[in-house]
Amino acid sequence: LGEAKNLPPYPGPNKMRDCYCTVNLDQEEVFRTKIVEKSLCPFYGEDFYCEIPRSFRHLSFYIFDRDVFRRDSIIGKVAVKKEDLQKYHGRDTWFQFQHVDADSEVQGKVHLELRLSEVITDSGVVCHKLAARDLECQGLPIVNGQCDPYATVTLLGPSRSEAKKTKVKRKTNNPQFDEVFYFEVTRPLSYTRRSHFDVEEEDVDKMAVRIDLWNASNLKFGDEFLGEIKIPLKVLRQSSVHEAWYFLQPRDNGSKSAKPDDLGSLRLNVVYTEDHVFAAEYYQPLRDLLLKSADVEPVSASAAHVLGEVCREKQEAAIPLVRLFLHYGKIVPFLSAIANAEVNRTLDPNTIFRGNSLTSKCIDETMKLAGMHYLQVTLKPIIDEICGDHKPCEIDPVKLKDAENLDNNRENLRHYVDRIFTVITNSGVSCPTVMCDIFFSLRESAAKRFQGDHDVRYTAVSSFIFLRFFAPAILSPNLFHLRPHHPDQQTSRTLTLISKTIQTLGSLAKSKSASFKESYMASFYDFFNEHKYADAVKNFLDLISSSGRRDHKRIETPIMLKEGFMIKRAQGRKRFGRKNFKKRWFCLTNHEFMYHKNKADHPLCNIPIENILAVEKLEEESFKMKNMFQVIQPERALYIQANNCVEAKDWIDILTKVSQCNKKRLSTYHPSAYLNGHWLCCKASSDCAAGCSPCTGGLPANIQLDVDGDRETERIYSLFSTYMSKLDKIQEACGSKSVYDGPEQEEYSGFVIDDPQETYKTLKLLAATVHTLEQEHAQYKKDKFMKTKYGSQ
């Protein structure tokens, strides 16, 4: 979410607004930005990433204004259809805000059956009867926490409009109506002088059936419109029965705004990927080819290295490669091989790992995945403190505010830098083993290549751990899940100054002051020009890059994995207590899952991780509430409602991951609740009856990683498929190199080819496996197209 421009001014004297933006799947909010105060062109600069846990029709962005009374009013929205997301993929786009009214806020679908039959009346006249059967709806919006839907069925003709109404279904957004309404389509005229038998034929082709869905409201404002569909009776020409699912649509006369450009606009960059993943055996050839990359001599001839050569951005290749190699436990040999090759191509020890190569992108990605909890333990407490304190730390005399004192600011900043430097250099023992193994191989390669330079074994490691791990996490804590939002301007500036200083301290540059362009930074850095800082950095780097450091000792301080407000149902531990729903602050560490009345209070309940036997979704029918899940313990289940579908999935995933190794994990569970003396799902009356459905939690035991190897291989296949023309170019380059082996041809000089024959072999195998998968996808699409019936769900 970038920024909004030209919002309509507030009707008061100051005209400015305090605005925030939300990201919604249809109308369900899954993310909210910070509030930007007093602006009509608010800048957000916030990233939000999520797996999408359910089907949706629109990705919507709403902008709200918070007024003096802390009430929120909607200014406008941007809604992008799911099928249009690909058009805007990966580039900044400005979207105009549209008006929001009830007639445009539509989601859900309806299942309908129409039947036309001939009936002979008492007087012997042939008459047509139309039966409209409204079977069910799915995915209607929840309005103010509930949905009490009913439908009206209207027969529309040139000279008539006849409406009938279903019963109201309470507290459900997936109502089962199954009601049939009859309409006479041809009716005899009343008696006229001319003849008893004159019949006025109504033209069925000009008629239509309209279904409107409403939310029955007990408020004085009347019922809320949820959407409509209109079906012409022409559909009954071919056969007398028509049954289909329809998406609900906005109302025909939905109020169109006169001027579409008067609400301002929003800059978005949406990256949407959808992977169609086959079963594991389809990917075997490609997966084998990728996983043996570390053993190919030279490594530049391997499938994984070739992927890095063909992708436009190295990052595109790095993400799926790292996840795949981590999943199969082969990341260290692969990174050692590509790092070693890069070190051998480097001419100057001062530029080691400074480029955006495949090696540096892959190591960045590995640190992000494997080191996320390391960052949480090391930096989160102090970053939270800096964001909470709001102490002034500006040391640029030009930017100093009137009331601020330069010496005080300098002291504040020095205090923070010292604290962060100390927590980093004391954290060597907590550094994840996989990162230590990678740093060990970087250090060895660099020391072997540049034997005359004694510092290179440190700079090779510090260029990653300080420059590309700690410094960016301090600079943008929201991107590393250390803070929920982008920090405010003053805090952001403080973090920038700390990040710059830490980066320089960690880089062990020979002339420190010269590495700063700004004179105020150079003079501030004099505080840290003591030997003890350089020694602390070297000790830390030695510890995290020493071979054989297999410290499997569990980190004794609990690591905070996730926290936030949710709603829970009372567990019935008191004999006569009411089982009502209450809002609680939940915290999950690697030791226990607990909830508190408020964030700062003592926990009301602690569930040790080893007592979690399963974590599963709870069917909506249990309490007529969405986004519910259950944490199953030996004596009872805790029922919890998350704020939205994305958050529910996140909680289920992480709770499942931390409890994966529990010895008593269940293999079956009850998908519904135990209410009124029986389980709603299987009707068993005993509250300790064995589960009736198999558990779903098939996630790896490792807390940090939840990787689907087949999905990552599918991602890599689609990249190869996209860049097929570049693969052909490398093949040509291999041919020209091995034939001429003279001066390199200009058009092929962009590729790294150390061994043309080995590379050519790999390319041939790659082309064959990609081609086979392409055919499988094409065949699958063809079969699906043949089997899909229009109007099926």
Side-chain angles (χ1 to χ4, degrees):
L1 279 141
E3 60 194 303
K5 277 255 166 82
N6 307 326
L7 298 177
Y10 189 72
N14 68 359
K15 303 208 176 323
M16 290 297 156
R17 292 181 182 269
D18 300 345
C19 294
Y20 64 88
C21 235
T22 67
V23 182
N24 298 51
L25 295 175
D26 296 322
Q27 277 122 66
E28 183 182 12
E29 182 185 316
V30 293
F31 178 70
R32 180 180 289 208
T33 66
K34 62 183 178 202
I35 296 175
V36 174
E37 296 181 345
K38 299 183 181 58
S39 173
L40 296 179
C41 296
F43 177 81
Y44 296 104
E46 294 198 42
D47 287 297
F48 169 64
Y49 167 85
C50 80
E51 292 281 324
I52 296 181
R54 61 172 180 82
S55 55
F56 67 102
R57 283 165 70 184
H58 291 92
L59 181 65
S60 308
F61 302 85
Y62 292 78
I63 189 151
F64 289 86
D65 179 23
R66 170 157 289 189
D67 69 12
V68 194
F69 305 106
R70 298 188 73 74
R71 285 191 308 234
D72 299 345
S73 54
I74 291 188
I75 298 173
K77 74 165 179 179
V78 168
V80 187
K81 279 187 179 160
K82 180 184 174 180
E83 53 269 30
D84 292 343
L85 285 170
Q86 222 43 46
K87 287 186 205 164
Y88 308 109
H89 178 82
R91 57 194 170 83
D92 278 14
T93 312
W94 283 96
F95 294 90
Q96 290 289 340
F97 280 117
Q98 304 298 324
H99 280 279
V100 177
D101 56 43
D103 295 348
S104 69
E105 294 287 276
V106 168
Q107 66 183 61
K109 51 190 174 182
V110 60
H111 189 187
L112 187 73
E113 186 186 310
L114 299 176
R115 193 182 288 270
L116 196 60
S117 46
E118 287 190 345
V119 183
I120 297 175
T121 61
D122 296 345
S123 57
V125 176
V126 174
C127 195
H128 282 90
K129 255 206 171 132
L130 173 72
R133 183 166 170 226
D134 188 357
L135 291 155
E136 59 181 311
C137 294
Q138 281 192 358
L140 298 177
I142 304 261
V143 186
N144 297 332
Q146 66 178 55
C147 188
D148 298 334
Y150 69 88
T152 58
V153 181
T154 311
L155 180 67
L156 301 167
S159 57
R160 66 189 282 194
S161 172
E162 190 180 339
K164 301 184 178 187
K165 179 180 157 185
T166 68
K167 293 189 180 77
V168 175
K169 298 288 177 186
R170 295 281 168 199
K171 289 192 174 173
T172 174
N173 65 337
N174 299 320
Q176 305 273 338
F177 293 115
D178 207 359
E179 293 188 40
V180 186
F181 299 106
Y182 294 99
F183 299 92
E184 279 190 12
V185 177
T186 318
R187 35 172 198 228
L189 266 182
S190 56
Y191 171 78
T192 64
R193 282 200 185 141
R194 270 175 301 150
S195 148
H196 276 94
F197 306 110
D198 232 6
V199 170
E200 177 191 44
E201 284 285 348
E202 280 187 315
D203 187 353
V204 173
D205 275 4
K206 287 184 182 161
M207 303 182 83
V209 169
R210 189 181 76 214
I211 313 282
D212 292 277
L213 270 127
W214 299 85
N215 183 27
S217 166
N218 43 18
L219 301 168
K220 58 181 184 290
F221 304 118
D223 297 349
E224 280 152 308
F225 174 74
L226 299 179
E228 69 173 25
I229 56 165
K230 201 186 257 178
I231 299 142
L233 292 193
K234 285 181 190 158
V235 296
L236 293 166
R237 258 191 207 154
Q238 264 70 44
S239 77
S240 59
V241 182
H242 173 76
E243 184 195 341
W245 281 90
Y246 288 90
F247 276 130
L248 286 167
Q249 301 297 334
R251 214 191 310 235
D252 267 358
N253 60 356
S255 52
K256 301 279 183 284
S257 92
K259 275 186 6 202
D261 56 349
D262 55 2
L263 294 178
S265 52
L266 181 68
R267 181 166 63 82
L268 296 170
N269 190 326
V270 179
V271 176
Y272 175 71
T273 49
E274 195 175 272
D275 293 314
H276 300 264
V277 187
F278 285 123
E281 61 270 16
Y282 285 85
Y283 300 108
Q284 193 72 42
L286 179 57
R287 190 169 50 236
D288 290 349
L289 200 56
L290 289 160
L291 290 176
K292 69 171 197 220
S293 293
D295 307 323
V296 174
E297 283 288 338
V299 74
S300 61
S302 68
H305 194 278
V306 167
L307 182 67
E309 289 296 295
V310 295
C311 284
R312 197 174 63 230
E313 299 283 339
K314 297 277 189 259
Q315 185 80 356
E316 271 185 309
I319 293 173
L321 281 175
V322 163
R323 294 173 77 90
L324 184 75
F325 281 102
L326 268 168
H327 183 65
Y328 288 100
K330 298 203 167 178
I331 191 74
V332 177
F334 168 63
L335 290 180
S336 302
I338 59 172
N340 198 33
E342 186 177 323
V343 169
N344 289 335
R345 281 196 290 273
T346 306
L347 302 174
D348 177 359
N350 293 317
T351 62
I352 199 162
F353 300 128
R354 287 300 164 93
N356 275 335
S357 61
L358 182 66
T359 309
S360 54
K361 289 291 180 195
C362 283
I363 295 177
D364 283 358
E365 199 53 37
T366 308
M367 292 193 301
K368 243 185 179 173
L369 286 169
M372 204 49 91
H373 293 94
Y374 176 36
L375 276 181
Q376 298 273 340
V377 179
T378 314
L379 291 183
K380 188 168 171 35
I382 176 81
I383 298 271
D384 284 343
E385 192 184 312
I386 293 167
C387 293
D389 284 353
H390 278 290
K391 283 185 183 169
C393 294
E394 182 55 75
I395 55 168
D396 180 353
V398 181
K399 292 184 179 172
L400 214 61
K401 290 183 185 152
D402 292 344
E404 288 176 4
N405 177 306
L406 189 60
D407 290 337
N408 287 352
N409 287 10
R410 228 182 236 152
E411 188 47 44
N412 289 342
L413 185 61
R414 195 175 72 83
H415 171 69
Y416 282 146
V417 170
D418 249 334
R419 294 262 310 275
I420 285 190
F421 179 80
T422 307
V423 294
I424 290 174
T425 50
N426 288 345
S427 70
V429 179
S430 315
C431 185
T433 310
V434 69
M435 283 168 62
C436 296
D437 291 344
I438 293 163
F439 297 150
F440 173 68
S441 68
L442 296 182
R443 172 187 174 136
E444 292 296 288
S445 292
K448 196 169 159 191
R449 171 87 171 90
F450 301 106
Q451 290 174 3
D453 189 326
H454 289 300
D455 275 346
V456 75
R457 60 197 183 137
Y458 294 120
T459 50
V461 178
S462 72
S463 62
F464 284 106
I465 192 78
F466 280 102
L467 265 66
R468 306 175 89 109
F469 186 63
F470 284 123
I474 296 164
L475 187 64
S476 309
N478 54 311
L479 297 185
F480 289 79
H481 306 298
L482 297 174
R483 294 288 296 170
H485 296 299
H486 216 62
D488 61 77
Q489 230 169 341
Q490 183 184 314
T491 310
S492 194
R493 174 67 179 157
T494 301
L495 293 173
T496 304
L497 295 170
I498 297 170
S499 177
K500 277 184 174 183
T501 316
I502 291 290
Q503 198 169 320
T504 313
L505 274 168
S507 68
L508 294 167
K510 301 281 187 293
S511 158
K512 298 291 186 181
S513 306
S515 58
F516 289 111
K517 291 193 286 289
E518 309 94 337
S519 57
Y520 62 87
M521 279 305 290
S523 62
F524 172 69
Y525 197 82
D526 289 340
F527 283 131
F528 304 97
N529 240 338
E530 299 173 34
H531 276 302
K532 67 173 185 181
Y533 290 100
D535 292 343
V537 169
K538 285 183 176 175
N539 287 339
F540 168 67
L541 295 173
D542 277 334
L543 180 58
I544 63 169
S545 62
S546 55
S547 170
R549 194 197 141 266
R550 294 282 178 278
D551 184 14
H552 289 299
K553 173 175 86 73
R554 180 165 163 175
I555 301 167
E556 281 314 315
T557 43
I559 304 171
M560 179 61 71
L561 300 175
K562 191 167 173 62
E563 54 186 344
F565 275 113
M566 290 192 287
I567 291 168
K568 68 150 207 71
R569 183 176 187 253
Q571 297 181 75
R573 288 179 299 185
K574 293 183 188 151
R575 199 163 164 202
F576 299 109
R578 286 180 61 211
K579 292 193 178 178
N580 50 2
F581 287 89
K582 290 191 173 139
K583 192 173 182 179
R584 294 288 181 253
W585 179 262
F586 282 83
C587 298
L588 173 67
T589 71
N590 54 340
H591 292 185
E592 59 190 347
F593 181 48
M594 51 205 152
Y595 58 80
H596 317 240
K597 192 165 186 180
N598 290 302
K599 189 173 179 178
D601 296 350
H602 278 295
L604 299 171
C605 172
N606 301 51
I607 302 169
I609 295 297
E610 53 271 23
N611 281 3
I612 297 177
L613 308 184
V615 185
E616 297 287 347
K617 282 183 183 170
L618 185 71
E619 283 179 357
E620 205 177 303
E621 292 310 306
S622 298
F623 301 106
K624 302 275 196 250
M625 289 163 74
K626 287 175 87 73
N627 307 320
M628 286 202 74
F629 64 94
Q630 48 184 323
V631 178
I632 303 166
Q633 308 159 66
E635 62 286 352
R636 63 177 72 83
L638 172 60
Y639 298 132
I640 301 174
Q641 183 188 34
N643 297 319
N644 58 57
C645 61
V646 170
E647 207 172 283
K649 182 182 186 302
D650 285 351
W651 274 105
I652 292 170
D653 282 357
I654 195 157
L655 279 161
T656 304
K657 277 178 236 173
V658 292
S659 61
Q660 190 68 46
C661 294
N662 291 351
K663 293 188 174 62
K664 294 179 182 167
R665 271 191 75 83
L666 298 176
S667 54
T668 59
Y669 78 108
H670 292 284
S672 286
Y674 182 78
L675 291 174
N676 306 328
H678 66 269
W679 293 99
L680 297 181
C681 38
C682 59
K683 305 292 181 264
S685 57
S686 164
D687 61 348
C688 41
C692 56
S693 294
C695 285
T696 56
L699 293 157
N702 182 341
I703 293 174
Q704 292 108 331
L705 275 187
D706 170 20
V707 174
D708 177 343
D710 303 327
R711 179 174 167 178
E712 300 309 329
T713 318
E714 167 62 34
R715 192 101 286 283
I716 291 168
Y717 146 73
S718 59
L719 286 171
F720 275 131
S721 182
T722 307
Y723 295 114
M724 209 61 200
S725 58
K726 278 200 181 174
L727 280 177
D728 296 340
K729 264 233 158 92
I730 300 185
Q731 266 190 332
E732 288 170 30
C734 288
S736 86
K737 270 193 96 131
S738 44
V739 173
Y740 298 107
D741 218 17
E744 199 163 8
Q745 289 199 7
E746 195 51 44
E747 58 184 306
Y748 303 137
S749 60
F751 306 121
V752 173
I753 301 171
D754 297 320
D755 184 331
Q757 281 160 327
E758 270 301 312
T759 311
Y760 189 79
K761 269 193 225 165
T762 303
L763 290 165
K764 265 192 90 74
L765 286 168
L766 270 176
T769 53
V770 170
H771 180 62
T772 308
L773 277 166
E774 256 166 8
Q775 286 178 311
E776 293 289 358
H777 275 285
Q779 188 59 46
Y780 178 83
K781 277 184 187 155
K782 194 172 163 188
D783 293 349
K784 193 173 176 185
F785 181 73
M786 302 286 278
K787 286 178 196 156
T788 302
K789 185 170 137 278
Y790 180 77
S792 67
Q793 189 173 359

